[in-house]
Amino acid sequence: MDMILLSQHAAMFSEFRKMNFTPTTEICEPSIALLNIEELKSTFIAKFRTLENYIDQKYEASDRKMEGEISRLDEELSAMKNRQVVCPTPKPLQWEKSGDSYYYFSNTAEHWEEAKKLCAAANSYLIIINSRTEQDFVVQKIKQSSVWLGLSDTEVERTWRWVDGSLLQEHNRALYEDKGKGEKGARDIVGYWRRGEPNNAGNVENCAVLYKEKNWNDIPCDKNVHFVCEKSALN
Ligand SMILES: [Ca+2]
Ligand SMILES: [Ca+2]
């Protein structure tokens, strides 16, 4: 709109120049010149008012248009607020009980952190293996080749911690002793590691998975893997 106004403005002044500013013999006469200047002044004022009105009208029109637009958006917003979003009732998670815990077996594969968050959101935690019996139960239930364990060494390499903050070495001392001699490559780290694991391959493996073969491996945490959430059945 500014461009329209400017061009309109320029056209008017060009018109004034054409009409009144060409010197003639007549306007050089003092009396006639005075008359012409008065005429020119009133013409100018009239034209200026016309321009003012024009600008006012344009702005008014623009204001009206804007008001219309705001009112339309307001109506749309109200309509959105009033619209009833009908969501299907989410199906409750299917928990399976074994020993003193309930377990949820995910239908999706996620990054380790996401899996951890999803379990937490369901008032549970990414599974912590406390016994061979527990591991056997999980392995026999999973349909996939592997699931995330709630175990990682992201903070300090080779310091494996469960999601409850406990250290693998301490937490699983009994489990290690129960297991017997331990496996090659993981003599200083307890658990059911697959032979040669955890090996932090490529320097990027900080999250542990449990394989259907009943052993563990460290793999990159950003892999998409199914997971198991665990929660206590005692409270
Ligand atoms: Ca457990
Ligand atoms: Ca590995």
Side-chain angles (χ1 to χ4, degrees):
M1 192 184 77
D2 289 350
M3 289 304 294
I4 296 169
L5 286 176
L6 280 172
S7 64
Q8 185 76 15
H9 193 264
M12 277 181 190
F13 281 99
S14 160
E15 193 181 83
F16 293 156
R17 278 197 296 276
K18 273 191 277 173
M19 282 169 56
N20 299 304
F21 282 95
T22 308
T24 63
T25 313
E26 288 81 2
I27 63 169
C28 292
E29 294 287 327
S31 58
I32 299 171
L34 188 64
L35 180 66
N36 281 351
I37 286 166
E38 282 303 313
E39 278 178 359
L40 187 61
K41 193 174 157 190
S42 60
T43 308
F44 182 85
I45 289 169
K47 290 279 184 180
F48 189 75
R49 288 204 174 125
T50 307
L51 178 62
E52 271 187 327
N53 287 338
Y54 177 79
I55 292 169
D56 284 351
Q57 280 166 14
K58 280 283 178 186
Y59 274 117
E60 206 178 301
S62 172
D63 281 355
R64 275 202 304 273
K65 193 177 167 194
M66 208 173 287
E67 274 170 18
E69 195 69 10
I70 290 169
S71 151
R72 190 180 61 77
L73 288 171
D74 200 38
E75 280 169 20
E76 276 184 21
L77 185 65
S78 301
M80 279 168 74
K81 280 182 186 164
N82 292 335
R83 194 176 300 147
Q84 291 288 318
V85 179
V86 182
C87 299
T89 310
K91 265 172 66 179
L93 298 182
Q94 298 296 308
W95 294 88
E96 299 197 31
K97 189 169 181 294
S98 175
D100 292 335
S101 292
Y102 283 112
Y103 300 89
Y104 166 71
F105 298 86
S106 82
N107 295 314
T108 60
E110 310 286 347
H111 293 185
W112 189 86
E113 278 293 343
E114 186 59 21
K116 183 183 163 189
K117 272 188 217 158
L118 290 169
C119 288
N123 294 319
S124 62
Y125 51 88
L126 209 47
I127 189 172
I128 294 175
I129 299 294
N130 301 85
S131 69
R132 192 190 293 272
T133 310
E134 181 174 33
Q135 176 155 290
D136 288 348
F137 166 75
V138 173
V139 161
Q140 158 244 303
K141 283 282 176 184
I142 59 175
K143 297 182 187 82
Q144 299 76 30
S145 59
S146 64
V147 286
W148 284 126
L149 289 174
L151 183 65
S152 71
D153 72 340
T154 305
E155 282 178 25
V156 180
E157 182 56 32
R158 289 179 74 78
T159 298
W160 289 90
R161 273 184 199 280
W162 292 106
V163 285
D164 65 357
S166 61
L167 283 167
L168 172 66
Q169 287 94 323
E170 292 162 13
H171 193 109
N172 286 62
R173 185 67 60 194
L175 180 147
Y176 179 64
E177 284 162 4
D178 171 51
K179 186 163 65 102
K181 295 174 188 168
E183 293 170 32
K184 262 193 181 173
R187 263 169 264 154
D188 56 339
I189 300 174
V190 293
Y192 290 113
W193 296 105
R194 177 183 273 188
R195 186 179 290 270
E197 305 292 350
N199 62 352
N200 195 31
N203 230 15
V204 291
E205 297 190 330
N206 296 331
C207 292
V209 285
L210 163 63
Y211 287 122
K212 191 85 174 154
E213 296 82 30
K214 300 184 181 178
N215 53 28
W216 307 350
N217 184 15
D218 58 339
I219 67 167
C221 304
D222 60 0
K223 292 272 182 197
N224 286 318
V225 178
H226 281 72
F227 57 98
V228 180
C229 300
E230 179 184 1
K231 65 181 178 181
S232 174
L234 300 176
N235 45 37

